[in-house]
Amino acid sequence: MTRRDPTYAPRIDDETWAFIDKTNAFYPPDMVDTSITQQRAVYDEMCAAFRQARPSGLSVRDDTVAGKTTDIPVRRYQSDATAHPSATVIYYHGGGFVVGGLESHDDVCAEIAAATGFALVAVDYRLCPEYPHPAAYEDALAACEAIMTEGRPVILCGDSAGGNLAAAVCLSLRGRPNGPVGQVLIYPGLGGESMSLPSYLAEAHAPLLTTRDVMFYKNIRVEGAAPINDPTYAPLCTTDLRGSAPCMIFTADCDPLRDDGATYVKRLRNAGVDAEWINEPGLVHGYLRARTTSTRAKQSFTRICDAIARLGETKREN
């Protein structure tokens, strides 16, 4: 986490700086140097400070689905006005595979469900370092497979680490009957830190997420050396993307992860997959929490909800 950097002044507007300052008020200067317990406590406190009330007319209940080794907690959202939703969104939260859960992204999930009219299931996958890779991926895949049996078209969505999981699950389920019909990835980390993509240097000291932070989360995610050529760990290492679900990727311009999204969309298109990349100027990693105070973040969140809705509606029309 970095404080105000004057080199970003021409790109970031006052509303976004206010969001950055409010976020940074919860964090010590070098958050990744603190204990995991402290990181989780600070993150939970910060998320609670930004949390919005759920939209009215929404039913929410906690549930579990069967996992590979244990039941996986999930939270289900559904509009009271939609008795039979035409699609289900599966949401994987961000947090570097270390922090976050059902509470951290509760308001975001509720608002997506209300905006689209689709059912939404948020997945509380296991976290590192207690459960290193592939635990989070196994939970993400098992949850998707369980929800696919419910019969509705499935759209996978996630931010940051959750975007990684959504992409990895989509790759694993290519060609499966009733597999995901689309994926919406929000400032995802897809393994670009191992490819020396330009944004990891150009945005190394970006507000709210630095390249040093990215490397911390990369290293804590595994026991020993990071996997090589493992798409369940880094979807960008996949050499053949044919048959992937249609994809929309949203990135923040002031974010080391920016080029992960651009590179993945280019490779998807080269494989004949319908894919689009939207890079949001002047925004920073984690901007979903700024959607009620930043005009730019609000507009991006509207685009995200519209993208999810289009993927579900396109499948229904087909």
Side-chain angles (χ1 to χ4, degrees):
M1 306 292 171
T2 59
R3 306 301 162 179
R4 284 205 178 192
D5 183 340
T7 63
Y8 281 95
R11 298 163 64 187
I12 297 176
D13 64 15
D14 289 342
E15 290 179 335
T16 306
W17 276 123
F19 162 68
I20 294 167
D21 290 341
K22 181 176 178 179
T23 303
N24 274 332
F26 292 89
Y27 286 94
D30 293 303
M31 184 64 176
V32 295
D33 293 329
T34 64
S35 70
I36 297 301
T37 299
Q38 184 176 357
Q39 289 186 39
R40 288 173 179 163
V42 169
Y43 185 80
D44 289 347
E45 183 182 10
M46 181 271 294
C47 290
F50 282 99
R51 184 169 175 171
Q52 302 296 307
R54 294 171 183 160
S56 60
L58 202 66
S59 295
V60 182
R61 65 182 177 90
D62 289 346
D63 194 8
T64 61
V65 296
K68 183 175 181 180
T69 59
T70 185
D71 286 347
I72 303 165
V74 299
R75 182 168 291 169
R76 295 179 179 269
Y77 304 77
Q78 184 171 322
S79 171
D80 295 336
T82 309
H84 302 287
S86 59
T88 298
V89 180
I90 300 177
Y91 196 95
Y92 304 115
H93 68 82
F97 301 98
V98 173
V99 300
L102 297 180
E103 300 303 326
S104 64
H105 289 63
D106 177 79
D107 50 353
V108 169
C109 291
E111 290 174 33
I112 291 173
T116 61
F118 298 154
L120 187 146
V121 183
V123 180
D124 194 14
Y125 56 87
R126 289 171 291 173
L127 298 176
C128 303
E130 296 91 338
Y131 301 98
H133 178 76
Y137 162 77
E138 289 175 348
D139 287 353
L141 177 62
C144 184
E145 290 177 322
I147 294 161
M148 282 162 49
T149 66
E150 297 173 7
R152 288 188 290 263
V154 166
I155 302 155
L156 299 188
C157 185
D159 66 288
S160 195
N164 173 294
L165 293 173
V169 170
C170 270
L171 288 173
S172 297
L173 294 176
R174 284 180 290 177
R176 289 274 291 273
N178 300 318
V181 300
Q183 51 184 323
V184 177
L185 315 180
I186 306 162
Y187 37 81
L190 302 172
E193 72 280 355
S194 299
M195 301 171 58
S196 300
L197 296 180
S199 58
Y200 286 90
L201 179 60
E203 311 299 334
H205 303 289
L208 301 191
L209 185 74
T210 67
T211 296
R212 180 171 182 259
D213 296 332
V214 174
M215 298 310 295
F216 168 83
Y217 294 123
K218 169 188 169 73
N219 293 333
I220 201 171
R221 190 180 168 195
V222 296
E223 289 182 332
I228 298 175
N229 296 327
D230 179 0
T232 71
Y233 175 79
L236 268 173
C237 77
T238 308
T239 57
D240 183 3
L241 290 167
R242 289 175 297 179
S244 297
C247 182
M248 285 284 299
I249 298 184
F250 295 82
T251 56
D253 192 49
C254 306
D255 183 354
L257 302 183
R258 180 190 64 216
D259 290 351
D260 285 40
T263 305
Y264 200 58
V265 163
K266 182 179 180 179
R267 291 184 178 184
L268 286 167
R269 287 176 173 173
N270 288 342
V273 177
D274 184 9
E276 183 178 352
W277 171 49
I278 296 179
N279 184 49
E280 302 289 10
L283 287 180
V284 296
H285 196 82
Y287 70 76
L288 285 182
R289 284 186 293 275
R291 69 197 180 282
T292 61
T293 57
S294 161
T295 302
R296 290 176 177 177
K298 180 179 181 179
Q299 291 171 342
S300 180
F301 186 62
T302 298
R303 284 189 280 272
I304 289 167
C305 292
D306 289 347
I308 295 169
R310 285 197 305 272
L311 287 170
E313 292 299 324
T314 300
K315 178 62 179 179
R316 185 168 66 175
E317 291 168 4
N318 291 343

